[in-house]
Amino acid sequence: MSLTITKTDITTMTVDAIVNAANTNLLMGGGVCGAIFRVAGPAKLQEACNRLAPINTGDAVITQGFNAKAKYIIHTAGPIYNPGNNQQAQQLYNCYYNSLKIALQNNLNSIAFPLISAGIYGYPLNEAIQIALTSIKDFLRETNSEITVYLTVLNDKIYEAIMRMMESMA
């Protein structure tokens, strides 16, 4: 079991599955979602997603990877940040946990995540990082899984924030 933080484009990762930070209707969006759709082939991926939509915030579903390097794409709907919503931390935690559960159920050996909800969904960066790391570590510890997990970012500032958080949680 391992967790690696990488500064790379998730769509270039050679892993069994990449995780799409999706919306609940599983429609092609912007940011990471748009990039994944463009790499996988928008029409084929949208057709596959249409058969699975809608999903609840925090849930996850799996499709083929189509033209992506990854064999599969796991789609999870992160919460849109709202300071008054007491459920959103659990929903964000569930995004990672449920995606990992699907990976395990499908006998996948490696998975790459973006930092879910921390972009256009507005989740505060440090909270989003802490929830991501806690959920992934909890899953790996509870299942004793051998899956290799990557948390991918493109930004130096976010990468450094994640590394600091990992050190403080160690």
Side-chain angles (χ1 to χ4, degrees), residues 20-37:
N20 177 23
N23 52 66
T24 55
N25 290 316
L26 302 179
L27 297 172
M28 181 176 173
V32 171
C33 180
I36 289 172
F37 267 80

Side-chain angles (χ1 to χ4, degrees), residues 54-123:
I55 63 171
N56 293 317
T57 302
D59 287 351
V61 293
I62 191 170
T63 64
Q64 291 179 335
F66 299 104
N67 299 330
K69 283 189 173 186
K71 295 177 216 165
Y72 299 97
I73 300 169
I74 297 174
H75 308 266
T76 188
I80 297 170
Y81 185 70
N82 173 358
N85 181 341
N86 297 336
Q87 297 176 342
Q88 65 194 359
Q90 185 63 51
Q91 290 171 328
L92 185 54
Y93 180 97
N94 290 347
C95 286
Y96 294 95
Y97 204 93
N98 289 333
S99 296
L100 286 163
K101 223 160 75 173
I102 285 178
L104 194 61
Q105 290 165 351
N106 285 275
N107 300 310
L108 306 184
N109 296 313
S110 56
I111 184 172
F113 284 94
L115 190 57
I116 299 165
S117 287
I120 60 173
Y121 279 14
Y123 218 95

